[in-house]
Amino acid sequence: MNKFTRQTTVRQVINDPAFGDFGRLLFPVDRPIDPDQSLAAISNERTFIWYSEIDADTTVDVLNDLQARASAGEQIFYPIYSAVEQRQDPSRRNTGLFFFRGQPEKEFALVNAGGGFMYVAALHDSFPQALTISRHGHPAFALIYRPDHPFEDLGRALSFIEDHAETLGVKRTGYSLWGGSAGARMAAIGGNRKGLRQITGRTDLPAAAAVIMQYTGYDTVSKDDAPTYACVGDRDGIAWWQGMKDRLARLDRSGVPTEFHMYPGRRHGFGLGLHTNAEGWIEDALAFWERMTIQNL
């Protein structure tokens, strides 16, 4: 039975015993949110600035899924820094991985929410995607990172997953990096072979099989980039759709496989795009990733 509803308050979610001391990280820690507001009341563009198509029912679905998993004894949150490292730098307490388990020993996805490197819009951006990915069988992680240190935290997260792949029950190879807006920049840089080495400081980590990116102005191109799927709306006032299309064309000319989708009428930050003409993009992206994984076998 679901515990949370649209009328549940932020405070009630944070203080739910299933979430231990990490419940606060379910919500943006870098944005002022009244803890006595309901989940329905925070599901808007005032809370999740730069975002659109914010759906309270999706928020409730994500939180109920996590609560049910945790109540059943499943570990749903993993710190990426040790207790010693967190004491050395208390800002590291605002990081970690929420884990949406799929089928065991499958390729994993790591999803980075956007937020303009000002906050982390996970509850609208990365959590719903990670949940959907897991429901299609692939384990998925949603990274809570520090807006001031996004690449340090992404590098640590990738190293953590790779070093604990057996315990987590995921494959080390064939993984994908996902992101929207600022999170898409993170995915693109982490999905570049040289970028991966730079943000992790390691040479032993396998490269991503695919990068899945939404609505970003990132325009750097390299033959070391991973195969890339991108989608955006033509009313996006932050990420110009033609610029995204042009970047993928340049990747194509470099020999990097790509797939591009533009959705008329959609603005920046449409997330899953439920009940819009963008709905279903995530299934297209999953199919692209799986094709790239098979080609790399």
Side-chain angles (χ1 to χ4, degrees):
M1 181 177 179
N2 290 334
K3 184 168 186 179
F4 304 135
T5 69
R6 293 167 60 96
Q7 286 68 50
T8 302
T9 67
V10 171
R11 188 188 306 276
Q12 288 172 319
V13 174
I14 290 174
N15 292 335
D16 191 285
F19 297 141
D21 61 357
F22 57 81
R24 64 188 180 84
L25 297 179
L26 292 163
F27 301 89
V29 297
D30 299 293
R31 293 278 297 146
I33 296 179
D34 181 351
D36 293 315
Q37 282 194 312
S38 69
L39 297 177
I42 68 165
S43 297
N44 54 57
E45 296 179 41
R46 294 186 304 277
T47 302
F48 297 98
I49 57 174
W50 304 311
Y51 279 90
S52 61
E53 311 297 343
I54 300 161
D55 185 71
D57 291 332
T58 299
T59 296
V60 172
D61 184 27
V62 166
L63 294 174
N64 275 321
D65 181 89
L66 288 170
Q67 199 276 344
R69 292 170 184 257
S71 295
E74 183 177 311
Q75 185 170 353
I76 63 168
F77 180 77
Y78 291 84
I80 55 175
Y81 293 103
S82 69
V84 171
E85 290 171 318
Q86 291 182 41
R87 286 195 296 271
Q88 292 171 342
D89 183 349
S91 72
R92 290 171 173 162
R93 296 170 184 164
N94 292 334
T95 68
L97 289 164
F98 282 94
F99 188 23
F100 297 77
R101 294 178 190 273
Q103 296 173 11
E105 306 306 321
K106 290 276 286 183
E107 299 85 359
F108 71 87
L110 175 56
V111 191
N112 308 291
F117 296 122
M118 188 187 82
Y119 78 109
V120 179
L123 199 54
H124 169 64
D125 210 11
S126 57
F127 287 170
Q129 292 183 28
L131 177 58
T132 302
I133 293 165
S134 72
R135 286 174 173 171
H136 282 80
H138 287 280
F141 300 88
L143 173 62
I144 305 300
Y145 60 90
R146 294 167 295 170
D148 291 340
H149 302 282
F151 296 102
E152 177 184 344
D153 296 340
L154 175 59
R156 174 56 70 97
L158 284 167
S159 293
F160 178 89
I161 296 169
E162 295 290 344
D163 291 342
H164 298 86
E166 185 174 350
T167 301
L168 294 166
V170 303
K171 287 188 67 173
R172 293 185 67 249
T173 58
Y175 67 91
S176 58
L177 295 177
W178 299 56
S181 197
R185 290 177 177 263
M186 295 169 63
I189 291 171
N192 179 280
R193 293 182 188 88
K194 292 181 180 178
L196 177 64
R197 291 196 294 271
Q198 290 173 351
I199 66 173
T200 62
R202 296 171 58 166
T203 60
D204 62 317
L205 301 186
V211 164
I212 313 297
M213 58 198 313
Q214 294 181 282
Y215 31 77
T216 178
Y218 183 77
D219 61 1
T220 301
V221 168
S222 165
K223 59 181 176 55
D224 292 315
D225 286 327
T228 300
Y229 173 103
C231 64
V232 64
D234 71 346
R235 291 186 59 206
D236 194 315
I238 297 174
W240 184 38
W241 72 269
Q242 188 66 57
M244 290 189 71
K245 184 178 181 181
D246 289 348
R247 176 176 182 263
L248 264 65
R250 290 160 59 206
L251 284 173
D252 273 329
R253 291 194 293 271
S254 298
V256 177
T258 69
E259 182 174 332
F260 175 76
H261 294 266
M262 183 274 284
Y263 300 106
R266 301 282 63 79
R267 296 183 292 128
H268 192 75
F270 55 78
L272 293 178
L274 298 179
H275 315 301
T276 76
N277 58 345
E279 184 168 1
W281 75 263
I282 195 165
E283 284 76 21
D284 291 339
L286 282 163
F288 175 84
W289 169 28
E290 289 170 352
R291 288 198 304 274
M292 296 305 104
T293 301
I294 290 171
Q295 289 180 17
N296 288 333
L297 290 177

